[in-house]
Amino acid sequence: MSSHPTPHAELLFNESDAVPMSTDPATVKPWSQARACLETAPKAWLSTVRPDGRPHTMPVMPVWAGLAPCIAARPTSRKARNLTLNDQCVLTVSDAELDLVLEGTTSHLRDPALQREAADAFLAKFQWAFSLRDGIAVDDSLPGSPEYAFYRITPVRAYGYGSDGLTATRWLF
C-alpha cells in the first residue's frame, strides 16, 4: 500500500437526487477495490486535452508504481505532447465488478529511482522491459530502441460504478 492516506469514500447520489442509483451507504465501494481494478487491468483508456481544448483518448497499459498508477508513452505521441502542455487527465478502466473513472494530474517521472520503480512495474506486469540510460527509458527490444517517458497519475477524484448498474461511489483525495 502507498503512504498516501485512503481517500474519503462516499455515495455518489443521495435520495434528493431522485435517480435509480442506490442511496444505501452500505453500497459504498472500498478504495482497495478500485485500486485492484487499476492494478490488474491489462488496458485502460487515457483521456488528455489537446492544445485547442479538444479531448484525446487512447488505450494505455497501466501499472501501479509506488504511490499511483503510471503509464508509458513515446515523447512524440499526441498523449505525451498533450500532457506536456496540460497535466489534467482521466483514466478509465473496468473489470467484472467495477467501472472506474479516475480524474487526476500527471507528472513526467524524471527521477532515476522513480523511473526504475516504473520500469520494474512494467516488467512485472507486462514483461515489458525498459532500459534506463541517462534518465531516458528505452525499449531495446524494438528497432532503433525507441525512447519512452513514464507518467505518474495523481488521483484527484474517482468514480466507481458497480456491475449491478445501481451502485456508485465517489472517492475524494
Side-chain angles (χ1 to χ4, degrees):
M1 269 323 211
S2 75
S3 62
H4 284 310
T6 302
H8 170 73
E10 63 187 17
L11 281 168
L12 184 55
F13 301 102
N14 61 51
E15 290 180 20
S16 66
D17 291 319
V19 296
M21 303 297 280
S22 174
T23 57
D24 179 358
T27 64
V28 170
K29 308 264 187 250
W31 175 246
S32 58
Q33 183 179 358
R35 179 174 166 167
C37 180
L38 272 166
E39 285 180 321
T40 60
K43 177 176 65 177
W45 295 93
L46 179 73
S47 297
T48 60
V49 182
R50 294 174 189 265
D52 64 4
R54 293 179 300 131
H56 177 260
T57 303
M58 292 299 291
V60 293
M61 298 164 57
V63 297
W64 196 276
L67 303 175
C70 293
I71 62 152
R74 300 283 302 275
T76 57
S77 69
R78 169 48 52 202
K79 63 183 160 278
R81 290 181 293 151
N82 290 348
L83 293 173
T84 297
L85 297 173
N86 184 335
D87 67 354
Q88 304 295 306
C89 71
V90 175
L91 188 68
T92 57
V93 64
S94 293
D95 66 14
E97 299 298 319
L98 190 69
D99 294 323
L100 180 66
V101 178
L102 185 140
E103 297 177 359
T105 59
T106 59
S107 55
H108 182 174
L109 297 182
R110 297 178 192 279
D111 177 270
L114 297 177
Q115 288 178 332
R116 171 52 46 209
E117 191 173 49
D120 290 347
F122 277 101
L123 183 60
K125 183 174 179 181
F126 295 112
Q127 295 73 54
W128 190 4
F130 289 98
S131 298
L132 299 175
R133 294 195 284 273
D134 299 322
I136 297 172
V138 297
D139 183 346
D140 289 324
S141 72
L142 295 175
S145 297
E147 179 181 334
Y148 283 82
F150 297 131
Y151 294 90
R152 173 175 283 162
I153 301 168
T154 301
V156 174
R157 74 183 53 79
Y159 304 92
Y161 300 90
S163 60
D164 60 8
L166 298 174
T167 55
T169 301
R170 174 177 36 221
W171 295 276
L172 302 173
F173 295 81

